[in-house]
């Protein structure tokens, strides 16, 4: 029997240097253009919210930072209780971006619904990130 998937993993090559991708992940104004408004900052322990529109303000906390290499934060504390990990790997003149959205509770209807919805939604979010970087 196959174990149920509780993690979304995506791998995207972006033809931009890690510094530019990092800026898009950690600068609140740029971040709002491709995903969600919020006071994101690459500082361990920083608490912030992301405005997810119809799903409301989602509380987050930065858990790990390696500038231009890794950003990890909790997402939707007290509801989904998941973790987002963004890894940036230099590749030629661009960046390999690895996204992991982990911790979905499959015993919860909300967790199952979120895993399905976000599994379909994340590729579109990464398309918007790529378009923002190309501007």
């Amino acid at each position: 029997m196959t174990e149920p998937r509780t993690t979304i993993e995506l791998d995207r090559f972006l033809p931009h240097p890690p510094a530019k991708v990092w800026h898009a992940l950690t600068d609140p104004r740029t971040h709002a253009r491709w995903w969600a408004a919020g006071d994101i900052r690459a500082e361990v322990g920083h608490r912030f919210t992301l405005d997810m529109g119809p799903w409301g303000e989602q509380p987050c906390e930065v858990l790990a930072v390696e500038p231009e290499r890794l950003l990890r934060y909790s997402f939707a504390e007290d509801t989904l209780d998941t973790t987002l990990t963004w890894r940036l790997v230099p590749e030629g003149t661009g960046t390999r971006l690895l996204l992991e959205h982990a911790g979905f509770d499959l015993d919860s209807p909300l967790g199952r619904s979120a895993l399905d919805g976000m599994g379909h939604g994340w590729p579109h979010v990464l398309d918007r990130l790529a378009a923002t970087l190309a501007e």
Side-chain angles (χ1 to χ4, degrees), residues 55-70:
W55 296 280
E57 297 275 330
Q58 299 301 320
C60 304
E61 181 179 357
V62 177
L63 304 172
V65 173
E66 294 176 31
E68 298 183 15
R69 297 190 86 53
L70 178 126

Side-chain angles (χ1 to χ4, degrees), residues 1 10 19-20 35 39 41 45 62 70 76 83 85 89 95 98 105 111 117 123-125 128:
M1 183 169 159
L10 296 172
K20 186 170 184 176
W35 186 32
D39 181 31
R41 191 168 56 226
V62 177
L70 178 126
T83 303
T85 303
V89 180
T95 303
L98 305 167
D105 179 2
H124 301 292
V125 172
R128 290 195 308 269

Side-chain angles (χ1 to χ4, degrees), residues 4-78:
R5 175 177 65 102
T6 62
T7 301
I8 298 164
E9 295 176 318
L10 296 172
D11 176 330
R12 179 77 58 102
F13 177 77
L14 299 166
H16 307 281
K20 186 170 184 176
V21 177
W22 182 256
H23 178 81
L25 294 176
T26 60
D27 175 70
R29 288 187 351 183
T30 308
H31 193 274
R33 289 177 33 222
W34 63 270
W35 186 32
D39 181 31
I40 191 164
R41 191 168 56 226
E43 178 182 303
V44 173
H46 174 62
R47 298 185 70 75
F48 62 101
T49 59
L50 291 175
D51 182 356
M52 302 309 296
W55 296 280
E57 297 275 330
Q58 299 301 320
C60 304
E61 181 179 357
V62 177
L63 304 172
V65 173
E66 294 176 31
E68 298 183 15
R69 297 190 86 53
L70 178 126
L71 176 65
R72 177 178 297 128
Y73 51 89
S74 62
F75 177 77
E77 294 175 343
D78 299 324

Side-chain angles (χ1 to χ4, degrees), residues 92-120:
T93 58
T95 303
R96 175 76 47 194
L97 180 65
L98 305 167
L99 167 64
E100 177 185 275
H101 192 167
F104 292 93
D105 179 2
L106 299 185
D107 291 330
S108 153
L110 177 61
R112 283 189 176 278
S113 173
L115 177 64
D116 184 52
M118 292 179 176
H120 294 294

